[in-house]
Amino acid sequence: MVTPVQESTKLVTINIDGTEYSVPEGGNLVDMAKWFAGNDIPVFCYHPKMEPVGMCRMCVVELGSVSRDRATGDVQYNEDGTPVIRWFPKLQTACTQTVTDGMYIKTDTEKVDAGRESVLEFLLTSHPLDCPICDKGGECPLQNLTMDHGNGVSRMYYEDKMHLDKHYPLGDLIWLDRERCIQCARCIRFQDEIVGDDVLAFHERGRRLQIITNSDPGFDTYFSGNTTDICPVGALTTGDFRFGARPWELTEVPSISPWDAAGENISLSTRIDRDFGGKTMIKRVMPRQNEHVNEIWISDKTRFGHHFTRSDNRLQSALVNGSERSWDDALATVADALKGSDGDVAAIAGGMASNEDAWELAQLMQGIGGERLGTWSPTHTGADLVAQVGLPNGSNLSNLGKGDAVLIIASDLEEEVPMWRLRLKQAQDRGAYLVVANSRLTKMEDFATDTWAIDNRDVEGSAVEYAPGQAVEAMQNLDDSIAKRLSEAENLVIVAGAEGLTLDGHRALVQLVANFLIDSGHAGKENSGLLVPLPGANAMGLHYLGYTPEATQDIMMNPPKVLITLDADVSDDPFASEWLSKVDTIINLTMFADDSLSGNVIQLPVQSFAERDGTFTNGERRVQRFYTAQGPMGEALPAWKAIANVRQILGQGRAKLSAAAVMLDITKNVEAFDGMRYKALGRVERQFPDVGGEDKYYGGTAYQNKGGVGLQIPLMGGAKKADVKAPVAVHSSSDEIVIVPTTRLYNRDAKFAPTLLVQPRVATPFAMLSPSDAENLGIQDGDSIEISFGDNSVVVRADVTNHVSSGAIYLPRQLSEDATPLVPTTGTVVKTSAAVAS
Amino acid sequence: MAVIGNEKYTKRIEKHLSKYPDKRSAVMPLLYIAQEEYGWVTEDALREVAELCEMDATQVKSIAGFYTMYRERPSGKHWVYVCTDLACALEGGDTLYENILEELGLDHHHDTTEDGVFSVEHVMCLGACDRAPMLQCNYRFSDEENGEYRDLRTEAGEIDMERVNKILDYWRGRERYE
Amino acid sequence: MVEQQYILLRGREIENIHELDVYTDNGGYEGLKKAIGMDKGAVIDEVKASGLRGRGGAGFPTGVKWSFIPQNEPIKYVTVNADESETGTFKDREIMETNPHQLIEGSLICAYAIGAAAVYIYIRGEYLDVADVLEKAIDDATEAGFAGDNIMGSDFSCPVYVHLGAGAYICGEESALLNSLEGKLGQPRVRPPFPAQKGGGLYSEPTVVNNVETLANVPFIMTEGADAYKAIGTEQSAGTKIFCVSGNVKNPGNYELPFGTTFRELLYDFAGGPKDGREFKALLPSGGSGPIVPLNDEVLDCKMSYEHTGAIDTIIGSASLIVMDDTVDVTWVASKVTKFFHHESCGKCTPCREGTYWLDRVLDRIMAGTATEADINRIDNVAQNMQGLTLCALGEFAANPIIHTIKNFREDFLQHVDGGTELEAAGD
Ligand SMILES: Cc1cc2nc3c(=O)[nH]c(=O)nc-3n(C[C@H](O)[C@H](O)[C@H](O)COP(=O)(O)O)c2cc1C
Ligand code: SF4
Ligand code: FES
């Protein structure tokens, strides 16, 4: 449980309205009063995730302390034996107080009431009266607190009110209503303190103080949507939800982000809606508090990426060789194909396959003698090592700080797992030493090198640059002083990505990292361990259920007669048509039909995460539940159910009726999942800081976690060092260049493309190369270039930049219509047309 | 036009950057330099200062917007500040301001003469109330020809527009920073 | 009769004392020299013993402030508050213009006593002329070895820098000043930590912030001794004070007089009394921010000091006396001063940001004759609600002109509200 009290915490006694409480020394008074006394001191500017600023003055209380004799330090007593309390003559802001022994506060006096009432009156003098049409109406801290503490009448003349811009775009995604803004600076502070990208600020002063951005590009971070949750009024709204629904019409359904290994806890705000044929649909995605995972933040991709679940392009009924069939027909065809396979069947499961889906598929495979279970996409490996030297249960990235260290190697974490980037960046702010190693500049390297003193704290970091593909060598030859600091850190977290590495190369890197953690004594230590930005939401779950990327590699080399793909877009591999041509029958369980598949193809429509129950196991081995939120698309079924039906036809037993029953099956058969029944996974706990409760001021009603905080799979003990096989590096001959695939959070993946709001911000296809490589190739910045590899090619814009090392061209995946390499390979580059002069 | 790489400013920029342990602290002096170059804090000015101080351009704009002496829109070549705050107003500051507007054919705060030579603003106390009513040109309290700007009233207590005009004339033919 | 006594405005007696050689010929930098030969703690003790109090308005004992600086912190700073933006205040300007070396010397004595790494003089942007004088004086002093590296051959080194503000009264508030100097918005900080504490000062390092006039007194204290200084003035207000007199008097200007001089002596004997044919009506003894008082005999006979002005319900503050005669409508005064605070509110905290705006709007209507007596009571109440709720003292200052003008000159307000109409309140 995440509480303010830890083993080592020293407790002090404070007195709130006459009652004594024992609270951790140094805690924030507002937080402590709430947690220990259930006393909701109203706030606007204060937010427990950010430094207090004392701006709004709403939190005023009477503050005093036990009087002590100056000379002796002894407590002074009244005649009746009670201690003498020295009260401040003026009200004091609670949010700026850290508790100390002998602190006295009063929150229920007339003076305090009058202060709160005055602050509210002042705030409302210039606030517009448009609550009935405001997106925040119904869940608005200002509205709520006015009901509780306001005096109900306004003494401000209407004609004296200030009028300001009501529809100001702060970027493509976030709108600002300047009349509603109460200048609490939460959005500015969020960008500055939490994200580390200070693209928001105040402009002018006094009553004309207003939020601006003047950065290029504007308010364009991957976390911008969080500002709309923490905005205590309706001043900030997302382009996605603006005027979308009234908060009180919405039903909150707990869910899990399907995009990446972080497993962000979310709440799907749903409503029965005409726009979705009268079915229940997602109107917005909100963060749900899980202090172990995402605290109260989510990435914009998670927030805005839900549109694919209702896309018209979803596969809505089964297809056999391109023509629509009933489920019965299609399943019979599938069963026949499997029967005729002689056990030469392989399966590949991808990013959004749940534990239940993967389990049923694995069972099906076992029943028919298929042995190879692969993961998609086969770019990263090391799940087995995460199971051994990952962060042990009870760890929390929020615990990292002074004395600790973080190494991020071969990963563009901002693009791969934005939530980890957010939380590790904050670890750095709290004092952790951050090392970023890559062959090109990434956002995280910015933080590691461009260190500055943030509000009195020294931020420390180092950058390690290596030649393309040389991550293993870089890890082996870490600078002594850096290696020493990492080894000697109290806690050490290492993120080992796969950028520039083949699967073998990545295997070598994660093993090397595991060895390092074992050597330094960090393996198995709380708050220390290995993280791998494995693709998809459930890569760790797939691992525990027997799937490996190495199997995928093998399947690609030696294709089976029958291939089952489960949410695995194998056509993303530019070489797919080659190896798939050797497969007789492809059974594709998918949300989007793949038109490029040829031969015998059965495509079965499966449900997205939003339409069904299920669980994902995140990159920290936390098994988390998502719940049915949205009406189904066409005839789509949960994948586990479709597979169970096939199993029933094949005589493998009666199909289970619910995802819960499937999970029960898993818990009985797979040791890692022992005890992880749905009921246990759905258990909630009180979390510190308490932002999801019944209070009226933290804003964003969705924080409350009603769906469970999940359970972590324990580490497998006995981690041992292993020899590292030097990987075969990708080398280029003289007329070729190494192509290093990279990841972009915003891309043209079929599942993200339906999020039209964000599509304008998806980069046009490009590739980065160094000025010297560009010169050798006769390429200039902005030229159109054709990159060829094998029989394939793509045309992209050349981005000539000294942010990348020489010796490779960096080609982001999933930006262009044509498939680009999944793993590093070699190819040629030619200029097709010159840059258009602007 | 540029500040970065402009020899005219290199020494001053270096001096300011070296004064503080943190480059960000130089944002105010460098905004003055950029304003000197561009006449007001243009988008280019913001980006150049941001680069020099290693700040986000949004933060530079925020600074420029907070203080009144940075100009965020184009204005005349010479800036006339007339104090209309209490101490001056008790001694005719408001009248001085209105007379100057009238003399230059202007009609509001921040207005600029048609020939672009003067912009006039009424301002808060300038810390020279002993000389009330008083004014500043280009943030200066005096010039070589007219000495300290004081005694802007006649013996009879009327605003001495002749003297005021001499002050304006002094600047008319000059550059702002001389 | 009291005499002007020039500890600070020595330029009035010694021509060209702004030049280094004239300054040194007249005992300049002897105080610094003496200090450097002393133990740091002894310097602080001497300043403590002198009874010197801060001239920036709050009157905090200067030596005590210096003694709060933790000696074991490696980096510390001195910041000179030369923002002087209070309406009616122009004393620091004259010191810096005519006697800049005395300020530099005083701040270096402070720097020595607390072990500061540098002195930053934060001067308001409109004092561009004065900043030039200071820069020149600093260059001369540095060249002559009185500032910069190894001052006067000792191992004490301390550069002095000038930082120009850019038009913001709030930057005179010490924590806003520090933010401004750091290149951040000039808004006040939450305290504690205070500037003298680790985490609260310039770049988070312990920092002394002192007013120009405060520091300019220090060389005298070093050379003449604490006792000589304490002998001047009153029991709790030692030394001389520069009184800035402006408004409706015959001879406005700065007058350096011992604390304890009466308002009458200052306003009649030095400032020449009211203009011919007029009578005094009201006085703002501490610029726009202190409570206004009717200028009657009781006030005139009051001594000017930190301890005496409480009896007439006001403060001496920065001693910026704005005098109003019988031609002045105090409602107009309230409106002028409120405009000032509305213009200068930094906007960081709710009561001041919203309150100054609201008060200004209503006063506009009162001045335009479209308000009612209820509006007068309303702004009185709004101003009282602001007090005690704001983050810094500007919000308190902003409430003063309303509360005290209405209290002392209600009849002036009533003249404006006959015939006004009650408007519709928003949200009713
Ligand atoms: C709104 C506001 C404005 C202030 N302006 C000034 C100023 O212009 N000059 C000054 O010396 N002190 C000013 N002060 C006081 C400073 O905060 C601080 O108390 C002073 O510089 C301390 O120096 P001292 O101890 O030498 O007086 C101001 C305070 C407030 C609240
Ligand atoms: S009282 Fe006024 S000036 Fe002071 S912090 Fe609040 S808004 Fe800013
Ligand atoms: S001042 Fe404490 S919550 Fe805003």
Side-chain angles (χ1 to χ4, degrees):
Chain A
M1 190 166 88
V2 181
T3 79
V5 190
Q6 272 152 18
E7 271 168 51
S8 56
T9 317
K10 181 177 168 218
L11 298 178
V12 294
T13 304
I14 64 170
N15 184 302
I16 303 176
D17 296 331
T19 309
E20 299 211 325
Y21 299 91
S22 185
V23 305
E25 185 176 37
N28 181 285
L29 178 55
V30 171
D31 296 346
M32 296 303 113
K34 188 171 173 63
W35 187 266
F36 293 97
N39 189 318
D40 282 351
I41 297 172
V43 298
F44 286 116
C45 66
Y46 179 66
H47 194 287
K49 291 284 177 188
M50 299 187 281
E51 292 293 315
V53 286
M55 293 170 72
C56 75
R57 320 302 289 173
M58 187 62 198
C59 64
V60 286
V61 296
E62 288 190 52
L63 180 70
S65 57
V66 175
S67 173
R68 286 175 188 277
D69 185 281
R70 285 229 175 128
T72 62
D74 292 344
V75 175
Q76 294 173 316
Y77 292 95
N78 292 313
E79 274 169 20
D80 62 1
T82 54
V84 177
I85 310 303
R86 253 192 258 248
W87 295 97
F88 276 91
K90 289 186 200 168
L91 294 170
Q92 301 290 314
T93 45
C95 75
T96 58
Q97 312 297 329
T98 38
V99 292
T100 51
D101 203 35
M103 179 179 265
Y104 271 65
I105 67 163
K106 290 187 208 158
T107 69
D108 57 358
T109 64
E110 265 179 39
K111 193 168 165 187
V112 172
D113 283 346
R116 291 174 178 175
E117 192 180 308
S118 287
V119 170
L120 277 167
E121 181 179 34
F122 282 124
L123 282 174
L124 292 172
T125 51
S126 39
H127 201 76
L129 301 164
D130 56 359
C131 304
I133 56 149
C134 177
D135 279 331
K136 204 85 169 192
E139 55 180 22
C140 171
L142 181 57
Q143 200 178 34
N144 293 341
L145 291 177
T146 302
M147 308 269 192
D148 281 10
H149 304 286
N151 72 356
V153 273
S154 170
R155 299 187 294 165
M156 176 89 174
Y157 295 146
Y158 187 75
E159 65 171 40
D160 283 346
K161 282 200 176 232
M162 183 117 153
H163 292 290
L164 294 163
D165 199 346
K166 290 188 70 71
H167 306 286
Y168 183 83
L170 275 182
D172 297 334
L173 305 178
I174 308 295
W175 290 80
L176 168 65
D177 181 327
R178 290 202 157 129
E179 282 189 357
R180 290 182 191 154
C181 172
I182 59 165
Q183 288 85 12
C184 68
R186 276 187 181 178
C187 54
I188 297 176
R189 289 146 59 207
F190 171 79
Q191 276 304 129
D192 185 22
E193 293 175 32
I194 310 283
V195 182
D197 227 350
D198 51 352
V199 296
L200 296 179
F202 278 131
H203 192 231
E204 304 204 42
R205 68 187 190 208
R207 184 58 196 88
R208 294 176 315 283
L209 203 64
Q210 49 198 292
I211 306 295
I212 54 153
T213 182
N214 199 58
S215 307
D216 188 19
F219 186 25
D220 178 42
T221 68
Y222 287 158
F223 306 98
S224 66
N226 293 294
T227 57
T228 65
D229 302 333
I230 56 176
C231 178
V233 289
L236 293 178
T237 45
T238 67
D240 198 37
F241 179 62
R242 241 157 88 84
F243 311 127
R246 313 297 301 152
W248 56 83
E249 306 163 351
L250 298 172
T251 306
E252 300 295 337
V253 182
S255 191
I256 300 296
S257 167
W259 295 108
D260 62 37
E264 294 162 3
N265 286 217
I266 53 180
S267 183
L268 304 176
S269 303
T270 63
R271 179 180 86 171
I272 294 179
D273 207 287
R274 253 197 333 224
D275 287 352
F276 194 44
K279 290 186 285 187
T280 305
M281 73 176 270
I282 301 170
K283 296 300 288 181
R284 63 175 185 184
V285 176
M286 300 283 281
R288 176 167 59 103
Q289 185 177 25
N290 189 336
E291 290 297 320
H292 308 281
V293 177
N294 55 306
E295 306 175 35
I296 54 166
W297 317 120
I298 56 175
S299 75
D300 282 2
K301 184 161 186 180
T302 300
R303 187 181 301 266
F304 302 123
H306 59 94
H307 294 271
F308 79 92
T309 63
R310 294 177 307 281
S311 164
D312 288 340
N313 294 335
R314 280 277 300 271
L315 178 61
Q316 310 213 15
S317 55
L319 296 178
V320 175
N321 292 335
S323 42
E324 284 187 18
R325 293 292 169 80
S326 69
W327 267 108
D328 285 350
D329 267 13
L331 291 183
T333 319
V334 168
D336 285 347
L338 292 174
K339 276 185 230 156
S341 68
D342 304 327
D344 189 9
V345 191
I348 301 179
M352 295 191 188
S354 71
N355 291 315
E356 296 76 6
D357 301 342
W359 169 249
E360 283 295 334
L361 181 56
Q363 290 301 99
L364 168 68
M365 291 285 289
Q366 200 184 20
I368 56 177
E371 281 174 355
R372 292 182 294 168
L373 299 174
T375 61
W376 195 258
S377 59
T379 52
H380 295 62
T381 184
D384 51 330
L385 289 171
V386 174
Q388 290 176 35
V389 297
L391 283 83
N393 290 12
S395 302
N396 193 325
L397 297 182
S398 299
N399 293 343
L400 298 175
K402 194 130 206 78
D404 301 332
V406 175
L407 165 64
I408 299 171
I409 183 164
S411 167
D412 186 351
L413 204 54
E414 162 122 334
E415 304 286 342
E416 295 172 14
V417 189
M419 187 50 55
W420 288 355
R421 160 266 194 260
L422 191 82
R423 299 187 75 205
L424 292 175
K425 160 73 179 63
Q426 287 182 83
Q428 187 194 23
D429 290 348
R430 287 186 298 265
Y433 170 58
L434 173 69
V435 182
V436 176
N438 205 321
S439 62
R440 66 181 176 101
L441 188 79
T442 62
K443 183 80 195 175
M444 282 312 269
E445 188 182 319
D446 249 11
F447 294 131
T449 50
D450 201 15
T451 51
W452 63 97
I454 295 180
D455 287 341
N456 319 334
R457 287 162 296 178
D458 290 327
V459 180
E460 281 192 288
S462 312
V464 175
E465 282 196 40
Y466 53 78
Q470 304 292 296
V472 173
E473 293 76 358
M475 187 70 207
Q476 266 160 343
N477 305 316
L478 268 184
D479 187 88
D480 281 350
S481 65
I482 294 179
K484 187 158 180 276
R485 283 198 70 172
L486 295 176
S487 303
E488 290 176 358
E490 175 69 25
N491 298 303
L492 171 63
V493 169
I494 303 184
V495 181
E499 191 174 294
L501 297 170
T502 59
L503 202 60
D504 292 345
H506 193 220
R507 158 78 36 205
L509 178 64
V510 283
Q511 184 64 59
L512 212 52
V513 167
N515 292 353
F516 190 98
L517 289 165
I518 293 167
D519 278 343
S520 65
H522 288 105
K525 183 170 185 297
E526 199 167 277
N527 300 316
S528 293
L530 167 70
L531 288 174
V532 178
L534 295 160
N538 196 32
M540 283 311 295
L542 293 177
H543 158 74
Y544 287 111
L545 297 168
Y547 296 73
T548 64
E550 285 79 9
T552 308
Q553 216 177 19
D554 187 57
I555 292 166
M556 292 159 90
M557 310 272 274
N558 307 297
K561 210 164 162 184
V562 177
L563 176 67
I564 307 176
T565 52
L566 167 58
D567 193 56
D569 300 322
V570 289
S571 303
D572 278 353
D573 176 15
F575 306 104
S577 55
E578 240 165 84
W579 56 272
L580 284 176
S581 66
K582 297 178 190 132
V583 174
D584 277 354
T585 305
I586 302 172
I587 300 160
N588 185 23
L589 294 118
T590 187
M591 289 177 252
F592 294 90
D594 184 344
D595 302 333
S596 67
L597 298 177
S598 57
N600 234 352
V601 183
I602 305 154
Q603 309 213 53
L604 303 175
V606 300
Q607 291 179 349
S608 70
F609 75 107
E611 300 154 68
R612 61 189 181 122
D613 286 5
T615 57
F616 291 138
T617 308
N618 80 356
E620 293 182 81
R621 308 181 318 283
R622 182 172 294 272
V623 184
Q624 309 190 95
R625 280 182 71 177
F626 53 86
Y627 297 70
T628 307
Q630 186 164 265
M633 283 296 279
E635 295 172 12
L637 288 177
W640 63 263
K641 183 167 243 170
I643 300 163
N645 289 342
V646 175
R647 292 183 61 201
Q648 190 166 322
I649 297 173
L650 292 175
Q652 293 187 4
R654 269 208 25 231
K656 296 268 183 316
L657 290 176
S658 69
V662 179
M663 186 44 118
L664 194 61
D665 211 19
I666 302 177
T667 61
K668 288 180 191 152
N669 291 288
V670 185
E671 199 193 325
F673 290 90
D674 188 29
M676 303 217 175
R677 299 151 169 246
Y678 268 23
K679 198 161 170 198
L681 296 174
R683 220 161 269 150
V684 292
E685 59 183 32
R686 201 172 170 217
Q687 301 187 67
F688 183 83
D690 189 353
V691 292
E694 301 295 315
D695 65 60
K696 298 184 170 164
Y697 45 79
Y698 282 130
T701 52
Y703 289 144
Q704 189 165 13
N705 192 330
K706 293 182 180 156
V709 292
L711 287 172
Q712 242 180 325
I713 298 174
L715 285 182
M716 286 192 340
K720 283 207 188 62
K721 281 174 67 175
D723 286 344
V724 172
K725 261 208 312 213
V728 189
V730 179
H731 280 298
S732 55
S733 58
S734 61
D735 55 343
E736 286 192 323
I737 188 164
V738 176
I739 303 170
V740 171
T742 66
T743 303
R744 296 285 291 192
L745 188 68
Y746 292 165
N747 55 35
R748 298 200 168 74
D749 173 28
K751 297 193 191 85
F752 193 55
T755 294
L756 299 178
L757 182 71
V758 182
Q759 281 302 308
R761 305 205 308 164
V762 178
T764 46
F766 71 97
M768 294 181 286
L769 70 174
S770 72
S772 65
D773 284 350
E775 201 186 316
N776 291 340
L777 292 162
I779 292 167
Q780 283 176 348
D781 189 48
D783 285 352
S784 211
I785 54 174
E786 181 171 48
I787 306 174
S788 307
F789 38 95
D791 295 336
N792 305 281
S793 66
V794 287
V795 176
V796 300
R797 183 180 56 79
D799 181 3
V800 178
T801 165
N802 46 25
H803 290 175
V804 300
S805 308
S806 295
I809 185 160
Y810 293 79
L811 178 63
R813 305 178 188 101
Q814 295 181 311
L815 284 186
S816 93
E817 299 292 320
D818 302 307
T820 57
L822 296 177
V823 290
T825 182
T826 57
T828 58
V829 180
V830 291
K831 172 165 155 180
T832 56
S833 62
V836 192
S838 56
Chain B
M1 269 187 153
V3 170
I4 297 175
N6 186 336
E7 270 180 30
K8 199 166 142 198
Y9 305 116
T10 325
K11 273 229 175 80
R12 276 160 71 194
I13 292 173
E14 269 167 20
K15 180 176 167 197
H16 288 306
L17 287 172
S18 70
K19 271 172 19 186
Y20 314 95
D22 184 358
K23 287 194 169 135
R24 186 180 176 127
S25 283
V27 63
M28 292 180 68
L30 296 193
L31 271 171
Y32 275 125
I33 291 178
Q35 177 162 280
E36 179 174 334
E37 173 67 10
Y38 295 97
W40 58 287
V41 183
T42 60
E43 205 52 40
D44 285 343
L46 290 174
R47 308 234 173 258
E48 288 196 86
V49 174
E51 189 182 327
L52 287 167
C53 299
E54 293 172 10
M55 289 164 76
D56 193 291
T58 298
Q59 305 303 323
V60 181
K61 189 176 170 83
S62 173
I63 299 297
F66 186 85
Y67 301 96
T68 54
M69 289 171 68
Y70 300 121
R71 289 159 187 273
E72 294 198 287
R73 44 199 94 64
S75 66
K77 185 158 141 198
H78 297 294
W79 305 328
V80 182
Y81 269 24
V82 186
C83 178
T84 57
D85 204 358
L86 179 63
C88 273
L90 283 167
E91 294 291 299
D94 289 321
T95 320
L96 174 63
Y97 171 66
E98 275 149 28
N99 287 9
I100 291 178
L101 283 189
E102 199 181 336
E103 184 74 21
L104 293 174
L106 303 176
D107 54 30
H108 58 84
H109 180 52
H110 270 303
D111 204 0
T112 302
T113 54
E114 268 177 19
D115 57 9
V117 175
F118 290 109
S119 288
V120 178
E121 286 169 55
H122 60 75
V123 297
M124 295 303 170
C125 182
L126 288 169
C129 328
D130 48 338
R131 310 166 188 172
M134 65 87 50
L135 56 74
Q136 271 196 335
C137 268
N138 301 328
Y139 311 139
R140 296 286 174 191
F141 282 118
S142 62
D143 66 57
E144 280 163 10
E145 279 167 24
N146 298 288
E148 268 184 2
Y149 299 159
R150 54 160 73 230
D151 304 326
L152 300 183
R153 282 178 305 180
T154 61
E155 290 287 306
E158 305 284 306
I159 301 295
D160 184 351
M161 281 314 285
E162 210 172 305
R163 179 153 162 74
V164 170
N165 271 322
K166 275 193 191 141
I167 293 172
L168 296 177
D169 279 343
Y170 172 84
W171 290 103
R172 209 181 294 273
R174 287 183 159 71
E175 287 308 309
R176 182 185 313 126
Y177 293 94
E178 269 186 17
Chain C
M1 189 180 117
V2 265
E3 296 272 342
Q4 291 206 65
Q5 184 175 349
Y6 297 126
I7 292 176
L8 307 162
L9 302 181
R10 293 171 71 206
R12 294 191 175 182
E13 284 177 334
I14 305 165
E15 215 180 317
N16 292 332
I17 196 165
H18 65 277
E19 287 171 8
L20 180 60
D21 45 359
V22 180
Y23 184 65
T24 46
D25 285 350
N26 287 279
Y29 290 107
E30 287 300 322
L32 178 59
K33 189 170 175 189
K34 185 166 172 201
I36 292 176
M38 285 165 69
D39 185 61
K40 294 176 174 195
V43 176
I44 296 177
D45 286 343
E46 193 72 16
V47 175
K48 263 191 198 166
S50 75
L52 174 63
R53 293 173 65 169
R55 304 291 197 248
F60 194 86
T62 305
V64 176
K65 184 184 270 189
W66 296 4
S67 70
F68 288 155
I69 298 289
Q71 286 290 351
N72 51 355
E73 286 293 336
I75 304 176
K76 289 154 281 193
Y77 294 106
V78 173
T79 327
V80 182
N81 192 339
D83 194 53
E84 191 162 68
S85 304
E86 179 68 48
T87 306
T89 315
F90 42 89
K91 62 189 179 67
D92 298 342
R93 197 200 72 225
E94 187 170 341
I95 295 174
M96 292 186 285
E97 227 166 28
T98 62
N99 194 8
H101 285 288
Q102 194 162 322
L103 169 63
I104 296 166
E105 183 179 357
S107 50
L108 284 169
I109 294 170
C110 174
Y112 171 77
I114 67 159
V119 172
Y120 289 95
I121 304 179
Y122 188 104
I123 184 168
R124 64 178 300 190
E126 295 89 341
Y127 283 2
L128 194 58
D129 284 346
V130 189
D132 288 347
V133 177
L134 272 181
E135 294 269 15
K136 163 105 179 36
I138 292 167
D139 286 349
D140 291 349
T142 308
E143 191 151 316
F146 295 120
D149 290 341
N150 300 100
I151 294 174
M152 296 188 219
S154 71
D155 54 11
F156 168 53
S157 297
C158 184
V160 181
Y161 301 113
V162 175
H163 182 98
L164 204 58
Y169 167 67
I170 188 61
C171 291
E173 194 285 333
E174 58 187 12
S175 64
L177 181 150
L178 296 175
N179 273 342
S180 181
L181 195 43
E182 288 179 18
K184 300 179 182 153
L185 275 193
Q187 293 181 325
R189 299 175 178 174
V190 168
R191 276 151 298 167
F194 293 94
Q197 295 172 305
K198 177 81 182 165
L202 186 62
Y203 309 111
S204 304
E205 307 295 352
T207 300
V208 163
V209 184
N210 267 141
N211 172 256
V212 169
E213 186 184 352
T214 313
L215 290 169
N217 274 296
V218 174
F220 178 94
I221 296 169
M222 291 317 297
T223 51
E224 310 302 313
D227 290 342
Y229 190 82
K230 202 158 176 29
I232 310 166
T234 64
E235 168 92 33
Q236 289 171 48
S237 310
T240 61
K241 175 84 193 77
I242 304 179
F243 297 94
C244 314
V245 184
S246 64
N248 306 142
V249 291
K250 277 201 184 122
N251 306 316
N254 282 323
Y255 298 95
E256 183 174 354
L257 295 160
F259 274 113
T261 307
T262 64
F263 283 105
R264 189 188 300 281
E265 287 165 320
L266 171 65
L267 293 180
Y268 282 91
D269 300 346
F270 295 97
K275 296 191 178 168
D276 294 340
R278 309 228 201 121
E279 276 174 36
F280 283 153
K281 175 173 179 181
L283 172 71
L284 279 163
S286 179
S289 58
I292 195 169
V293 288
L295 202 34
N296 53 25
D297 283 341
E298 189 197 349
V299 169
L300 285 167
D301 289 329
C302 177
K303 287 184 175 172
M304 298 186 291
S305 74
Y306 294 113
E307 66 266 38
H308 291 98
T309 40
I312 54 166
D313 286 334
T314 189
I315 54 168
I316 198 64
S318 53
S320 327
L321 292 83
I322 305 175
V323 182
M324 288 144 278
D325 66 24
D326 52 0
T327 62
V328 175
D329 168 10
V330 172
T331 323
W332 172 84
V333 173
S335 156
K336 273 280 175 197
V337 180
T338 300
K339 286 221 176 310
F340 176 85
F341 288 114
H342 175 204
H343 186 255
E344 300 299 342
S345 166
C346 82
K348 183 167 179 173
C349 76
T350 307
C352 170
R353 178 183 68 238
E354 306 295 336
T356 52
Y357 169 78
W358 190 1
L359 295 174
D360 193 15
R361 296 305 305 260
V362 179
L363 271 164
D364 275 353
R365 259 209 324 282
I366 292 176
M367 291 303 292
T370 60
T372 64
E373 188 168 356
D375 285 314
I376 299 174
N377 297 332
R378 184 164 305 165
I379 54 172
D380 191 16
N381 181 261
V382 167
Q384 295 194 28
N385 286 351
M386 286 167 69
Q387 288 202 317
L389 265 189
T390 56
L391 173 63
C392 84
L394 189 148
E396 309 271 338
F397 297 166
N400 274 335
I402 307 285
I403 295 170
H404 295 274
T405 50
I406 294 178
K407 186 170 122 205
N408 292 319
F409 300 93
R410 195 179 176 89
E411 59 288 2
D412 287 29
F413 281 83
L414 289 174
Q415 281 174 22
H416 290 270
V417 294
D418 270 347
T421 46
E422 185 79 14
L423 294 174
E424 195 187 324
D428 272 357

